[in-house]
Amino acid sequence: MDVEAPTILTNARLFGTEGDAVALRGGRIAWVGALAGLPAALAGWARRDLGGRLLTPAPIDCHTHIVHGGHRAREFEMRLEGAAYEEIARAGGGIVSTVAATRAADEAALVAAALPRLDALIAEGVACVEVKSGYGLDVETELRMLRAARALARARPVRVRTTFLGAHAVPKGADADAYIDEVCIPALRAAHAAGLADSVDGFCEGIAFSPAQIARVFATARALGLPVKLHAEQLSHQGGAALAARHGALSADHLEWATEADAAAMAAAAAVAVLLPGAFYALRETRLPPVAAFRAHGVAMAVATDCNPGTSPMTSLLLAMNMACTFFRVTPAEALAGVTAHAARALGLADCGRIAPGLRADLAVWDVETPAELAYRIGFNPLHARIFGGPEC
Ligand code: DI6
Ligand code: FE
């Protein structure tokens, strides 16, 4: 929907705030309220009647790996034949097989491969996507992935936040400690120097990196002034959530093996719990993230696709919402807050994710009557219109 000129959206059902009208100007939300109380100064603005449709903040996918080479359909078949994810990873498949495909792709090829995935997200109204590196595992390819991610924001009307994930896997034949010190940290410094990283992530897991190794990456990130986040407690309990909390992380993600104490530590650090039900589904996990503990301790919960070629080849945030409800028992309203306000927090963004004056006019209009309808249907996209505030606003 084009809203270049000052416009008032009327007859809307608003999610997360009172009123039935929203005024937009210059890519920002100028006013929110009941049309009956419209300020006189706005009386002459153009109006657009939304016909009673639901108006929400545009969804934000706050955890993706959409930039990568190749695919892992063969690994999918192997898992169906009984192989475990960790087994495949230890045998040289898994993440490191995507590393080979990513190293072989130039920047244009990475962008071309990512665009259909990005377009699928945009088709569901998504206005902001986080994109991680982590399939290069050498300085040159990690930076190329981040450049490709930045290029996506020039190719489509969408905002991209980049995350350096050099500590994603140990390259074939390498020593984990040596890799962290000799490749990962220098790559992080180079990415920062080139202005390519908005935040820093790691994979704290038995098949990846220990809390001590991640702590070295985090120390560098903090010294560079970059916020951190962490893949934590996905396949086992390693102490990643507590580590993330100690480092003031924006978020800890996955968290199936997180404990009540982890929830308390995350609450104290105001870290968001990013739930990734696509990976839970694809790996046929049974261990549930401690949603009740997150609620009890007041930990904000976000929901994301984790779109990646191995454990979550999913490009639907609506489906992630449905899975978060069905598998994890979050409520539909929590799922919607999880892809809007809490997703923004997980990225450290204060200018989007809510319908409030001054924020970006990144909005989605849905052909539904209630917020619950968004999470309830499976494989159905009720987006009526998407409003993107623009790259510069
Ligand atoms: N956790 C994930 O879900 C992805 N990375 C990670 O650390 C999986 C990445 C992959 O298997 O390619
Ligand atoms: Fe991930």
Side-chain angles (χ1 to χ4, degrees):
M1 183 184 285
D2 181 17
V3 287
E4 287 293 297
T7 301
I8 303 167
L9 306 176
T10 65
N11 197 11
R13 292 173 204 256
L14 303 185
F15 173 73
T17 184
E18 299 293 312
D20 60 2
V22 177
L24 312 177
R25 181 171 60 186
R28 296 269 171 180
I29 296 168
W31 173 85
V32 182
L35 190 63
L38 187 74
L42 278 55
W45 290 19
R47 294 186 187 190
R48 189 171 310 218
D49 189 320
L50 296 189
R53 292 185 179 87
L54 180 70
L55 180 69
T56 70
I60 296 165
D61 195 349
C62 69
H63 180 139
T64 88
H65 309 250
I66 59 170
V67 168
H68 61 261
H71 66 80
R72 305 237 291 277
R74 177 59 200 140
E75 186 179 314
F76 173 60
E77 291 177 314
M78 286 167 70
R79 283 205 310 274
L80 293 177
E81 288 156 12
Y85 179 64
E86 287 103 320
E87 232 177 279
I88 295 168
R90 289 191 204 282
I95 294 175
V96 296
S97 71
T98 298
V99 170
T102 303
R103 286 180 180 170
D106 64 14
E107 185 182 321
L110 290 176
V111 170
L115 279 175
R117 298 188 271 270
L118 179 63
D119 287 340
L121 295 172
I122 290 172
E124 290 185 344
V126 169
C128 180
V129 180
E130 185 254 20
V131 181
K132 301 177 193 295
S133 69
Y135 291 117
L137 309 184
D138 61 32
V139 178
E140 188 193 323
T141 316
E142 286 294 309
L143 267 60
R144 189 160 75 247
M145 287 185 73
L146 294 170
R147 276 197 301 273
R150 289 265 198 252
L152 293 174
R154 296 190 292 274
R156 293 292 186 271
V158 71
R159 217 169 167 201
V160 170
R161 302 297 285 179
T162 55
T163 300
F164 175 81
L165 177 57
H168 193 197
V170 184
K172 234 184 218 151
D175 169 75
D177 278 306
Y179 169 74
I180 291 288
D181 297 333
E182 293 160 23
V183 181
C184 181
I185 289 176
L188 168 54
R189 291 188 190 285
H192 175 258
L196 288 171
D198 298 319
S199 66
V200 176
D201 195 350
F203 188 17
C204 187
E205 191 52 68
I207 54 168
F209 297 97
S210 68
Q213 289 159 345
I214 296 291
R216 297 212 293 279
V217 179
F218 278 6
T220 306
R222 301 308 286 162
L224 295 171
L226 292 173
V228 300
K229 43 183 47 251
L230 190 62
H231 288 69
E233 335 295 12
Q234 179 188 5
L235 308 170
S236 60
H237 191 272
Q238 299 278 330
L243 173 81
R246 277 200 301 282
H247 284 79
L250 291 172
S251 70
D253 303 36
H254 287 289
L255 298 166
E256 279 82 345
W257 290 81
T259 62
E260 169 107 32
D262 293 329
M266 288 173 63
V272 176
V274 179
L275 305 178
L276 303 169
F280 175 92
Y281 167 81
L283 296 178
R284 304 182 74 213
E285 296 287 354
T286 53
R287 172 109 184 178
L288 296 168
V291 163
F294 292 143
R295 267 191 211 115
H297 288 275
V299 177
M301 291 181 283
V303 174
T305 62
D306 192 18
C307 177
N308 78 69
T311 62
S312 191
M314 175 163 82
T315 48
S316 171
L317 199 49
L318 288 169
L319 182 55
M321 290 167 65
N322 174 269
M323 288 179 172
C325 295
T326 301
F327 289 138
F328 299 164
R329 293 290 181 237
V330 309
T331 68
E334 285 174 329
L336 186 48
V339 300
T340 54
H342 297 167
R345 265 189 58 187
L347 297 179
L349 296 173
D351 63 352
C352 60
R354 290 174 297 121
I355 302 178
L359 271 59
R360 292 174 54 94
D362 293 343
L363 301 165
V365 184
W366 307 94
D367 259 323
V368 303
E369 292 173 3
T370 67
E373 281 180 80
L374 294 181
Y376 140 80
R377 292 202 174 80
I378 302 169
F380 181 74
N381 179 5
L383 186 75
H384 175 76
R386 171 185 185 267
I387 301 167
F388 179 65
E392 305 296 338
C393 84

